[in-house]
Amino acid sequence: MVYVDWYYEKAKKERKLYEKRKDGYRGWKDLVTGTNYCISTEDYGRIDHAGKKLLEQYLKEGSIDKMEKLFYGEGETKEAQLFADLPYFMDLAQGIKECARIRDYVCFRTACLYVLKYPSIQNSPDMVQEKAKIRMQGFTWQLVNSAEESPELEQIEQMICRQNKEKGCLDTDMADLVKGGLVKIKQYYLETNKIPEIRGASLLLEKVNTEKMKQLISQEHIRECLIYAGGGKMMGIFPEGKGEETCQKIGVMTEKETVTAQFNFCSRPYKLQRLIDEYQSVVDEMDLALEERQGLRWDFRLEPQADEKVLEEAVKGWGWKKIKETKQEFCTSCRNRYAVAVLHEGTKAEEMLCPSCMRKKQEGGRDAKRSRHREYKDFVKRKYNKVIEDTKCYNKLEYIAQNGFVGVIYGDANNMSSHINNLKSFLTMRYFSEVTADSVTEVVFEALYKNLGDKLAFEVIAVGGDDIFLIVPGPKAYDIACTIGKIFDQKFQNQSNEKCQMTMSIGVCIAHDHMPVQYSFAIAQKLLKSAKHKAWQEREKGNNTGTIDWMVIENEIPGGADIAYQRMAKDDKPKKTLRPYTWTQADAMKKFLKKIEKEKSFAFQLQQSWYQHIKEEAELFFEYQVGRKEETKEGTKVKCGLGRLAKAFEGEAVNQNLVCQGVAYSPWVDAIELWDYTGDTK
């Protein structure tokens, strides 16, 4: 069993492998990738000592803010940063199957302590001080020698570590579990085709689900009550009787920020002991309750209540004017709701917006306070030590487009739900959600940098959780999607056996920049479904890999959005396409195109021959044309390219087609369609 040295990977950014765990090393399995990690007693002890020493200093200073930074990934020293990420070993056994981090354990036990102590402090005249005291106690107990004793934390730790099998105080103490999130997110993004408003919708939802959510929970209770928030979802533990109130306040905050985004949150009371002991059963009950609740919700999109203060801020200085008589004209952007403000710009047709589109435009316009581009620049500076100077405002699809085409990329992780269903505690759920969210964002940014460099000609609509939604230049879309998929599979690979734990499937629609984004996205969704089916088929064969399906729409054609219609072939003809691809097959197709790059007209003739002639005529045409070209070696290149392509698809080249498991496929439709939409092959 191969082990990866955790310290070398984290501190030295190197990979050190051991065929078996050495003496003096502790081992555990990573919850996300399944990799077997180990760390020497010496390294663990040194980091543990450095972190506790810094924590003791903060306790003497009475600085809860510095403690918070330490446990939320913003430590002041390198060793202290590693301290929070050290595995928290729950018992003294040498073989550990799964392990969360110290930060996950500390934050969760602090939330439990707050729940237990809330009844005694809720009427305190200084709740801020009381909450700070609880947090400081949760952050330092048994980590700092001078930390005060806590019988409640003793009981909590015994329950978390499953050392106390007898019923204790936690058998009667109750807590409210809140779970839920935003729903119909893609619908909120794509009410309009205008980039500023799509961007604004994306930023608003991210703001609500992360920044504003944390602010609200911290103000009403303590930050540690929030187990996770990201990807449009959240879950938290709150004092008994405060769950429903928290749901209502989250709903009010969401409506105020987004105006029309839809959401679904649910609260249920549980014994704290059961929350700790029966995590998966409790989560299943909450999911069922959310499903039932969602079926009863009403869609209020037609007549949202406009926040007058927000509306005043939005129109101020923009040249907008409020419409006195509403319910007269529909919004010119989404055409779903009545307009509340109008803009006159010289000779241009007037623009009228509803409260929701006004809010999106305010958040995602040229002067937006937050931007994915800024996050991308920070990533490039941090990882590659390069500064991106591009400041162009990409507020129209035509600005993002290259040669008049844009690509809509929609990806979704495979197997993630099965991994989530295997998690056994709130500690592991917290770790899993944070690691996957951060990793997916890094994957996307890395792929964009490798293919676009210092150009900001892209729009990241959604990233994090288990799905991605991007708009990129058309000729770069295929390469960006393949890069994302391959990096994702590598990042979530089990480094102990080099098998992928989770993979990503991607749908890519490349179309004219004047085509509505909603239309391109609808096609990308269907392509994603096709790619995921391919991933399932590969997994059944023991090949756990990501997949891609794609379509280029250059002209208006009947049934353009119907994938099955476009790919349908007669019984006596070869299949029209090899799609979807695995990443290996995607690379093989790209290399095939590179090898025959000077033979586009010949490739087009071969594409037509099988559908214009009978089988014998098509075969004769191929042999004749290849024979003519063999004098200049171009015919040999075609035959050689077909042979290599066939191997990638586990078949063989027969004339100009590939035969895989007795079924003939034509590679030429794929080749012609993809010809102008791949970059250089390295």
Side-chain angles (χ1 to χ4, degrees), residues 427-573:
L427 280 72
T428 56
M429 183 66 228
R430 186 181 188 276
Y431 172 78
F432 186 90
S433 62
E434 285 192 2
V435 171
T436 51
D438 293 343
S439 297
V440 172
T441 302
E442 288 185 3
V443 165
V444 170
F445 285 169
E446 188 173 343
L448 289 171
Y449 183 74
K450 287 184 175 181
N451 289 278
L452 298 178
D454 59 356
K455 300 297 182 183
L456 300 180
F458 63 84
E459 197 63 48
V460 179
I461 307 302
V463 64
D466 62 345
D467 63 352
I468 60 169
F469 176 16
L470 315 175
I471 302 175
V472 299
K476 298 286 186 179
Y478 181 82
D479 291 342
I480 291 173
C482 289
T483 306
I484 288 173
K486 288 185 285 187
I487 296 176
F488 182 95
D489 288 8
Q490 291 169 4
K491 188 172 283 288
F492 290 95
Q493 185 183 66
N494 186 328
Q495 301 301 326
S496 299
N497 57 22
E498 297 185 346
K499 292 182 179 179
C500 293
Q501 291 293 104
M502 286 189 293
T503 62
M504 176 165 281
S505 291
I506 299 177
V508 182
C509 178
I510 302 171
H512 285 284
D513 56 25
H514 60 256
M515 181 175 287
V517 177
Q518 296 106 318
Y519 184 71
S520 298
F521 179 74
I523 296 174
Q525 279 184 305
K526 294 179 181 179
L527 293 167
L528 173 62
K529 184 177 180 180
S530 170
K532 290 181 81 69
H533 181 69
K534 170 78 170 180
W536 176 81
Q537 290 178 323
E538 292 294 321
R539 192 161 60 249
E540 289 294 298
K541 296 190 297 184
N543 181 27
N544 201 14
T545 176
T547 51
I548 181 173
D549 200 350
W550 53 272
M551 178 181 284
V552 178
I553 304 177
E554 292 186 339
N555 302 299
E556 292 294 333
I557 51 179
D562 191 331
I563 298 172
Y565 176 85
Q566 291 300 323
R567 298 176 180 178
M568 183 172 57
K570 294 182 179 179
D571 293 339
D572 61 338
K573 300 295 183 181

Side-chain angles (χ1 to χ4, degrees), residues 59-122:
L59 181 59
K60 290 179 180 179
E61 296 173 1
S63 178
I64 190 67
D65 292 337
K66 290 182 179 179
M67 290 183 187
E68 182 175 341
K69 288 181 179 179
L70 177 63
F71 287 114
Y72 285 91
E74 301 177 23
E76 295 181 3
T77 69
K78 191 172 184 179
E79 293 293 323
Q81 288 175 337
L82 291 177
F83 168 74
D85 284 329
L86 279 175
Y88 179 73
F89 296 119
M90 294 186 178
D91 56 41
L92 300 177
Q94 290 297 310
I96 304 294
K97 290 185 178 181
E98 61 180 30
C99 208
R101 303 164 298 185
I102 287 178
R103 71 170 77 239
D104 303 312
Y105 163 70
V106 167
C107 290
F108 179 69
R109 78 179 188 185
T110 303
C112 292
L113 179 64
Y114 174 75
V115 167
L116 290 178
K117 287 199 167 187
Y118 183 81
S120 63
I121 67 168
Q122 60 180 327

Side-chain angles (χ1 to χ4, degrees), residues 340-372:
V340 295
V342 60
L343 172 67
H344 298 277
E345 286 190 293
T347 59
K348 292 184 179 180
E350 63 183 25
E351 183 178 8
M352 294 179 288
L353 296 182
C354 66
S356 182
C357 291
M358 282 287 294
R359 187 73 184 91
K360 294 174 186 177
K361 191 178 185 72
Q362 179 192 29
E363 190 72 17
R366 181 186 295 271
D367 300 322
K369 295 180 181 179
R370 303 169 67 250
S371 170
R372 292 286 191 185

Side-chain angles (χ1 to χ4, degrees), residues 191 259-260 262 298-305 327 329-331 334-340 354-356:
E191 287 184 319
V259 185
T260 56
Q262 297 187 59
W298 173 55
D299 187 346
F300 55 86
R301 294 189 309 145
L302 185 60
E303 297 184 44
Q305 297 297 316
K327 299 186 180 181
E329 300 287 349
F330 273 93
C331 174
C334 68
R335 302 191 181 279
N336 286 331
R337 294 173 289 273
Y338 294 113
V340 295
C354 66
S356 182

